[in-house]
Amino acid sequence: MDGERNREVELTIPMLQDMELAASRVAEALAEVLKFDEEKRAEVSMALLEACINSFEHSKSEDRKVYITFQTAPDELKITLRDHGVGFQRESIDPPKIEEKLRPGVRKRGWGLKLMESLMDSVAIDSDEYGTTIVMVKKK
Amino acid sequence: MDGERNREVELTIPMLQDMELAASRVAEALAEVLKFDEEKRAEVSMALLEACINSFEHSKSEDRKVYITFQTAPDELKITLRDHGVGFQRESIDPPKIEEKLRPGVRKRGWGLKLMESLMDSVAIDSDEYGTTIVMVKKK
Amino acid sequence: MAETFTVNVAQDNGIWIFETHGYINNLAGEAISEKYREAFDQGGRQFLFDLEDSKIINSVGVSILIEILEEIVERNGTMAFCHCVPIVKKTFNIMGITQYASIYETRSEALAAMREN
Amino acid sequence: MAETFTVNVAQDNGIWIFETHGYINNLAGEAISEKYREAFDQGGRQFLFDLEDSKIINSVGVSILIEILEEIVERNGTMAFCHCVPIVKKTFNIMGITQYASIYETRSEALAAMREN
Ligand SMILES: Nc1ncnc2c1ncn2[C@@H]1O[C@H](COP(=O)(O)OP(=O)(O)O)[C@@H](O)[C@H]1O
Ligand SMILES: Nc1ncnc2c1ncn2[C@@H]1O[C@H](COP(=O)(O)OP(=O)(O)O)[C@@H](O)[C@H]1O
């Protein structure tokens, strides 16, 4: 346990334009340290980018911060992202479909969760009125 | 004041091989957000890399962590790095000279502080038996 | 990346080429959309996006490309991409954009294919 | 970067070329040092380090290059670098390595200059 905690990287970013890049860079650097291939590095990096943007845009958190913990194991990177925002219900969000999105008047947005889920090996969302926690794992 | 605190990025890294890369990536990403040119981005990034390695190698800190705060202003990036190690006295360290380093038997190391000071606009070191704090500023 | 985003527009035999530079986020998407609107209003129907210098994108930026795609599809036009890094290709695949827009390796390949259209 | 560091060694008319790949840290420095030792023991006196694929270095890694430089200078050999990114050049300048080792833009420039030596 202690050994694991000692491998943690913690990052707190403010909810400001472009700050998601700082987070995604850490993800990429750690994926490099773990010797993930370039494609997987880019995948982790983009999944975290999307998760950060969701917190920035939707959480309405008062402290305007996203708290991220990176845990490295020899063959996986686990990323836990938290915001202290209003939360949401994953179940109530329909998966986006391009055919529908292309219809006139339909909101084109709504791809972040789908991308995260497609790019990572697992994504677990725990969200309530005190905030949202997302645990994402990418295997080597 | 509050506005400033809200722009802070905080990063904690464990003192492990290659973890300095995660820190230097954040510095680089933030320098990019501030639209520093490529050269200055690389300079900030390397200065922080060196500061991290110093903590890893010399601090003997028990918690094996480096705590870094990044503060962004429109035209400067301020980086504060702390370790809870044994500290050192800046004054007692002579500036390295290549002529001397090239003599047989002389330890070749000892460039980190000089590099940090050359690459950043200012470097302030506060170090005692409870640890070391380094505040580095790079202007756009 | 977080460099100021720019987009250059050129024309090649009726094909409008958009060359993007930098991170495609919401602001970049809007910048693209504005230039697209001008081209469309001048009668443009074939659009090639050269993403060589956009190695990072996000879904907010890409949503704006879907807005553009909607209009292009509706008017029987063509939207294509070239020089996409793997993560961009993958993103377009996941989103299903590749069902409506072709991705080519190089610009000349894209132009050749689009001219046959 | 944090990819496993590698160094390839080649010879061109008595000039030993070390092509590094990856972050030059302590471990990489030691890997270079080992290969250097082999070349030196085979009589090598002219060494060119092509750093094109080493965009990140640290002072611990560079200190090991200074160890090598000490020996080369002592035996009247030559040490040179090429394809250095700006931060690497700057680092070598700050450390004063450029007083003892030349930095060339390209490998062919370096080889041409070293052959005249
Ligand atoms: N961190 C969060 N806090 C609150 N709501 C969120 C959060 N993340 C996602 N959501 C909700 O989930 C929806 C779907 O998110 P997503 O798939 O990323 O698409 P988009 O952000 O484009 O709407 C959002 O519109 C929002 O209602
Ligand atoms: N964070 C730190 N904690 C304790 N000692 C330090 C720290 N940073 C630097 N030092 C001391 O300063 C010396 C000079 O550091 P530096 O110039 O980076 O060269 P080097 O690390 O190669 O010795 C170190 O050898 C060490 O004694």
Side-chain angles (χ1 to χ4, degrees):
Chain A
M1 286 300 291
D2 198 50
E4 272 186 26
R5 278 234 56 188
N6 283 345
R7 295 194 58 81
E8 280 181 19
V9 170
E10 283 179 68
L11 175 70
T12 304
I13 55 170
M15 296 181 170
L16 293 173
Q17 183 81 32
D18 284 336
M19 285 291 167
E20 70 277 15
L21 294 171
S24 81
R25 288 299 190 84
V26 175
E28 206 176 330
L30 294 176
E32 274 184 46
V33 167
L34 296 178
K35 307 200 193 304
F36 279 35
D37 64 34
E38 210 177 316
E39 202 171 325
K40 292 200 175 181
R41 285 186 336 236
E43 287 166 11
V44 182
S45 170
M46 175 144 189
L48 181 56
L49 196 84
E50 292 290 332
C52 289
I53 292 173
N54 272 352
S55 291
F56 292 11
E57 285 203 314
H58 306 300
S59 72
K60 305 191 178 72
S61 95
E62 283 184 11
D63 69 359
R64 309 304 298 153
K65 301 259 181 187
V66 181
Y67 304 88
I68 308 168
T69 305
F70 300 85
Q71 289 164 295
T72 57
D75 55 1
E76 69 172 44
L77 177 59
K78 185 195 271 190
I79 304 177
T80 305
L81 172 147
R82 285 176 302 124
D83 67 52
H84 299 150
V86 296
F88 71 108
Q89 285 190 293
R90 178 72 187 96
E91 316 79 64
S92 64
I93 294 160
D94 289 331
K97 293 214 186 70
I98 189 74
E99 315 80 76
E100 283 165 27
K101 294 289 182 192
L102 285 175
R103 290 205 200 113
V106 174
R107 178 177 180 264
K108 310 305 176 202
R109 296 281 307 276
W111 298 97
L113 293 170
K114 184 182 173 113
L115 280 169
M116 285 156 56
E117 287 164 356
S118 306
L119 296 171
M120 299 297 279
D121 287 297
S122 76
V123 177
I125 299 175
D126 179 39
S127 189
D128 59 28
E129 67 268 39
Y130 302 108
T132 299
T133 300
I134 301 192
V135 182
M136 307 193 281
V137 176
K138 183 79 176 178
K139 294 193 185 300
K140 196 165 168 177
Chain B
M1 286 301 290
D2 200 50
E4 271 185 26
R5 279 233 56 186
N6 282 345
R7 297 193 59 82
E8 280 181 19
V9 170
E10 283 179 66
L11 175 71
T12 304
I13 55 170
M15 295 180 171
L16 293 172
Q17 183 83 31
D18 283 338
M19 284 292 166
E20 71 276 15
L21 294 171
S24 81
R25 288 299 191 85
V26 175
E28 205 174 332
L30 294 176
E32 274 183 47
V33 167
L34 296 178
K35 306 198 192 309
F36 280 34
D37 64 34
E38 212 176 314
E39 202 171 324
K40 292 199 173 181
R41 285 185 337 236
E43 288 166 10
V44 181
S45 170
M46 173 142 191
L48 182 57
L49 197 84
E50 292 291 333
C52 290
I53 292 172
N54 273 352
S55 292
F56 292 12
E57 286 203 315
H58 307 299
S59 72
K60 306 191 177 72
S61 96
E62 285 184 9
D63 68 359
R64 308 304 297 152
K65 301 258 180 188
V66 180
Y67 304 88
I68 308 167
T69 305
F70 300 85
Q71 289 164 295
T72 56
D75 55 3
E76 70 172 44
L77 177 58
K78 184 194 272 191
I79 304 178
T80 305
L81 172 147
R82 285 176 302 125
D83 66 52
H84 299 151
V86 296
F88 71 108
Q89 285 189 292
R90 177 72 187 93
E91 315 78 62
S92 64
I93 293 160
D94 289 331
K97 293 214 187 69
I98 188 74
E99 313 82 74
E100 284 166 26
K101 295 289 180 193
L102 286 174
R103 290 206 198 112
V106 173
R107 178 175 179 267
K108 310 304 176 203
R109 297 280 308 277
W111 298 97
L113 293 169
K114 183 182 172 113
L115 281 169
M116 285 156 55
E117 286 164 354
S118 307
L119 297 171
M120 299 296 280
D121 287 298
S122 76
V123 177
I125 300 176
D126 178 40
S127 189
D128 59 29
E129 67 268 38
Y130 302 109
T132 299
T133 300
I134 300 192
V135 183
M136 306 193 280
V137 177
K138 183 77 175 177
K139 294 195 184 300
K140 196 165 167 177
Chain C
M1 226 178 60
E3 309 272 348
T4 312
F5 175 86
T6 55
V7 48
N8 297 325
V9 184
Q11 241 205 93
D12 183 314
N13 291 308
I15 300 171
W16 290 78
I17 303 166
F18 285 63
E19 190 185 274
T20 62
H21 300 277
Y23 176 29
I24 302 188
N25 61 5
N26 52 337
L27 302 175
E30 280 159 26
I32 294 171
S33 183
E34 243 174 63
K35 296 269 186 178
Y36 156 78
R37 174 77 25 234
E38 285 169 27
F40 190 84
D41 288 347
Q42 286 179 49
R45 290 299 176 271
Q46 289 200 295
F47 296 90
L48 172 62
F49 292 84
D50 184 334
L51 304 188
E52 177 156 30
D53 198 28
S54 287
K55 303 201 164 43
I56 306 186
I57 60 174
N58 72 33
S59 69
V60 187
V62 178
S63 298
I64 299 176
L65 297 180
I66 297 180
E67 267 171 33
I68 295 176
L69 180 60
E70 179 204 320
E71 191 170 75
I72 294 177
V73 167
E74 199 203 349
R75 312 279 170 102
N76 279 314
T78 329
M79 186 178 200
F81 296 92
C82 67
H83 286 139
C84 301
V85 294
I87 187 68
V88 170
K89 268 190 214 162
K90 184 145 199 170
T91 300
F92 288 172
N93 263 318
I94 294 169
M95 296 172 73
I97 291 179
T98 43
Q99 294 166 42
Y100 299 86
S102 302
I103 300 189
Y104 301 95
E105 286 309 310
T106 64
R107 194 189 281 203
S108 52
E109 243 179 74
L111 291 174
M114 290 172 88
R115 256 181 238 119
E116 310 222 321
N117 243 300
Chain D
M1 225 177 62
E3 310 273 348
T4 313
F5 175 86
T6 55
V7 50
N8 297 326
V9 183
Q11 240 204 95
D12 183 316
N13 292 306
I15 299 170
W16 290 78
I17 303 165
F18 285 63
E19 191 184 273
T20 62
H21 299 278
Y23 176 29
I24 302 188
N25 60 6
N26 51 336
L27 302 174
E30 281 160 25
I32 294 171
S33 184
E34 246 174 62
K35 296 269 184 178
Y36 157 78
R37 173 79 24 235
E38 286 170 25
F40 190 85
D41 288 347
Q42 286 180 49
R45 292 297 176 269
Q46 289 199 294
F47 297 90
L48 172 62
F49 293 84
D50 184 334
L51 305 187
E52 178 157 31
D53 199 27
S54 287
K55 302 200 165 43
I56 305 187
I57 60 175
N58 72 33
S59 68
V60 187
V62 178
S63 298
I64 299 175
L65 296 180
I66 297 181
E67 266 171 33
I68 295 176
L69 180 60
E70 179 203 320
E71 191 170 76
I72 294 178
V73 168
E74 198 202 349
R75 313 282 170 100
N76 278 316
T78 328
M79 184 178 202
F81 296 92
C82 67
H83 286 139
C84 302
V85 295
I87 187 69
V88 171
K89 267 189 216 165
K90 185 146 197 167
T91 300
F92 288 173
N93 264 318
I94 293 170
M95 295 172 72
I97 290 179
T98 43
Q99 295 166 39
Y100 299 86
S102 302
I103 300 188
Y104 300 95
E105 286 309 310
T106 65
R107 193 189 281 204
S108 52
E109 243 179 74
L111 291 174
M114 291 171 86
R115 257 181 238 118
E116 310 223 321
N117 242 302

